[in-house]
Amino acid sequence: MTVIQSDVLDVARRQVLEGGEGLREEQVLAVLRLPEEALQDALALAHEVRLRWCGPEVEVEGIVSVKTGGCPEDCHFCSQSGRFETPVRAVRLDIGSLVEAARQTAQTGATEFCIVAAVRGPDERLMAQVSEGIEAIRAAVDINIACSLGILTAQQAQELEDMGVHRYNHNLETARSHFAKVVTTHSWEDRWATLQLVREHGMEVCCGAIVGMGETLAQRAELAAQLAALAPDEVPMNFLDPRPGTPLADLPVVEAPDALRAIAAFRLAMPRTVLRFAGGRELTFGDLGARDGVLGGINAIIVGNYLTTLGRDPQEDLDLLDELSMPVKALSETL
Amino acid sequence: MSTTAAHCDGCGTPLAGADHARCRARRAATDPPRYCAACGRKLVVQVLPAGWTARCVRCGEAGVAAR
Ligand code: SF4
Ligand SMILES: [Zn+2]
Ligand SMILES: [Zn+2]
């Protein structure tokens, strides 16, 4: 069925806002193709959808890398792959600094703290380090702990569940039809299988995307539909930061209007998910910061720095939420 | 902390004789230092939610910041 461009927002109002049913792939594509004059209407509708199905709260998260660089995989966007000549050197974080990072994150009012490692999947040493780290954080800081440690076995998923990991992040990154252009050392299906394990073991599923890796708009719509089919609890939206030395280093930064169309379209495809502003927003939006996004369907942010790059001052984001009368989600609401 | 800045801390090449405007822009926007300003080696950088540390394996500590 073809969707008439000008009608898609009217359809979305009934189907998504009133009915709670996300847009389908061809409808998402129509949103991604909206002319600039319709962009504000699309964002306003996505914002209404977010308020209607998720509420006004914003979920705040901090992330930290416990094992940086030297990854054997070849994700073409990633400065932590050991296969590319990038400026990132391998380093590991000690437990004391990990606990301090969790404490700093909690001080911003964040309810989620994600422990990330640049690996294909965790080995015994990393699992032991994560286990020790989680115990140490629990003893000192009141915060939900998430992990992002790559491809899991069923046993590892069980172990993480036993450690009390609240949510597990594993991104599909891009559309299935585009994946082999971006990663050759593992498949989209490998990633999908890990996401199923995460769900089977009762952890919340966090599965994100990077927009701007050379995919077509149709593939961007395909990705939204594939994410919607997964029905993740959270979708972190990243915009490509073309890192020096990576195969994608020369791609252009996603332009703000395209990024905003993607945000609105993803929200309209997934009315109930936690849609998080993640990496790349500083480059794509510059001084506009988070404002247009959180008024266009976003209901979660990463505060502070990322894994290898620096983010905005957390206070600027928190001041913005305050100004927009969007309360930061409390820990008691997440359990 | 290194005292002599002979190298660009964004790309590691000598400061003299090259334009490092892109390196400076990246440093100002999203990046901690990546190379030792004194010797040009890649730094060991740990980014934390509220800061970063950078160390050169030859020259020692190359910077700490609370951002
Ligand atoms: S698996 Fe993760 S850390 Fe490794 S190259 Fe891919 S994105 Fe980077
Ligand atoms: Zn330079
Ligand atoms: Zn040095």
Side-chain angles (χ1 to χ4, degrees):
Chain A
M1 189 182 69
T2 45
V3 184
I4 301 168
Q5 208 80 27
S6 57
D7 284 352
V8 71
L9 295 182
D10 293 335
V11 173
R13 181 165 288 280
R14 288 191 299 277
Q15 180 180 322
V16 189
L17 182 62
E18 288 157 26
E21 184 199 328
L23 292 187
R24 295 182 303 275
E25 185 172 335
E26 73 277 11
Q27 296 173 314
V28 172
L29 182 56
V31 175
L32 293 173
R33 286 184 173 150
L34 282 173
E36 196 123 4
E37 315 84 82
L39 180 55
Q40 283 310 321
D41 289 345
L43 290 167
L45 179 60
H47 184 53
E48 272 189 81
V49 165
R50 167 269 174 119
L51 291 175
R52 165 81 173 77
W53 295 102
C54 304
E57 294 82 12
V58 173
E59 194 187 273
V60 176
E61 178 186 53
I63 63 177
V64 77
S65 172
V66 290
K67 190 250 166 210
T68 304
C71 181
E73 301 305 288
D74 76 343
C75 309
H76 291 12
F77 53 84
C78 183
S79 62
Q80 300 197 63
S81 168
R83 293 172 184 250
F84 316 133
E85 194 42 57
T86 79
V88 173
R89 269 189 85 137
V91 59
R92 290 184 97 107
L93 187 67
D94 61 77
I95 301 284
S97 305
L98 175 66
V99 173
E100 184 50 31
R103 200 192 317 272
Q104 289 170 349
T105 298
Q107 275 167 2
T108 65
T111 52
E112 298 282 326
F113 178 66
C114 190
I115 301 170
V116 187
V119 290
R120 176 185 170 90
D123 59 11
E124 256 177 57
R125 176 183 171 200
L126 180 60
M127 289 295 282
Q129 186 195 1
V130 167
S131 171
E132 196 189 331
I134 289 177
E135 226 171 278
I137 293 169
R138 284 258 154 72
V141 188
D142 210 10
I143 198 160
N144 290 325
I145 297 169
C147 284
S148 181
L149 312 172
I151 296 169
L152 298 178
T153 64
Q155 194 195 323
Q156 288 168 335
Q158 181 65 55
E159 285 170 26
L160 291 170
E161 182 197 355
D162 293 344
M163 290 176 209
V165 171
H166 167 75
R167 189 178 288 176
Y168 192 84
N169 164 264
H170 197 51
N171 290 347
L172 287 172
E173 311 290 16
T174 194
R176 189 176 189 170
S177 68
H178 190 56
F179 193 85
K181 289 236 167 65
V182 177
V183 184
T184 70
T185 48
H186 59 268
S187 66
W188 193 92
E189 289 73 17
D190 290 332
R191 290 192 175 226
W192 185 268
T194 286
L195 291 160
Q196 298 311 318
L197 282 176
V198 169
R199 173 157 295 143
E200 280 162 26
H201 286 85
M203 290 177 278
E204 289 191 4
V205 175
C206 170
C207 181
I210 304 178
V211 172
M213 296 200 290
E215 74 281 6
T216 63
L217 287 186
Q219 286 171 320
R220 218 170 269 178
E222 178 196 332
L223 169 62
Q226 284 159 349
L227 285 170
L230 176 70
D233 299 280
E234 174 190 335
V235 174
M237 283 193 83
N238 301 275
F239 302 95
L240 181 71
D241 174 355
R243 300 309 301 169
T246 64
L248 302 189
D250 294 326
L251 281 186
V253 170
V254 180
E255 292 197 10
D258 285 334
L260 291 171
R261 282 185 190 88
I263 288 170
F266 276 51
R267 168 55 72 202
L268 295 174
M270 293 172 277
R272 294 174 183 79
T273 199
V274 172
L275 191 62
R276 189 179 306 279
F277 238 147
R281 72 174 153 114
E282 292 74 12
L283 275 187
T284 287
F285 294 100
D287 287 342
L288 287 177
R291 180 182 295 268
D292 287 351
V294 294
L295 289 172
I298 292 285
N299 69 330
I301 53 172
I302 288 179
V303 286
N305 295 332
Y306 301 103
L307 304 174
T308 63
T309 57
L310 310 178
R312 280 164 37 109
D313 178 346
Q315 198 54 48
E316 285 178 31
D317 283 336
L318 298 173
D319 289 348
L320 172 69
L321 298 181
D322 198 40
E323 180 199 325
L324 299 174
S325 304
M326 290 183 189
V328 172
K329 194 189 271 182
L331 200 56
S332 57
E333 296 170 64
T334 64
L335 302 175
Chain B
M1 204 73 172
S2 18
T3 45
T4 43
H7 296 265
C8 171
D9 66 5
C11 72
T13 65
L15 276 175
D19 175 21
H20 296 277
R22 279 190 70 182
C23 304
R24 277 199 303 276
R26 199 176 279 123
R27 281 279 281 117
T30 53
D31 281 43
R34 302 289 181 189
Y35 294 86
C36 177
C39 74
R41 276 188 173 69
K42 256 188 219 179
L43 295 169
V44 178
V45 179
Q46 174 73 55
V47 173
L48 296 162
W52 51 263
T53 60
R55 189 170 49 80
C56 172
V57 291
R58 197 177 89 166
C59 311
E61 191 177 291
V64 177
R67 173 203 160 174

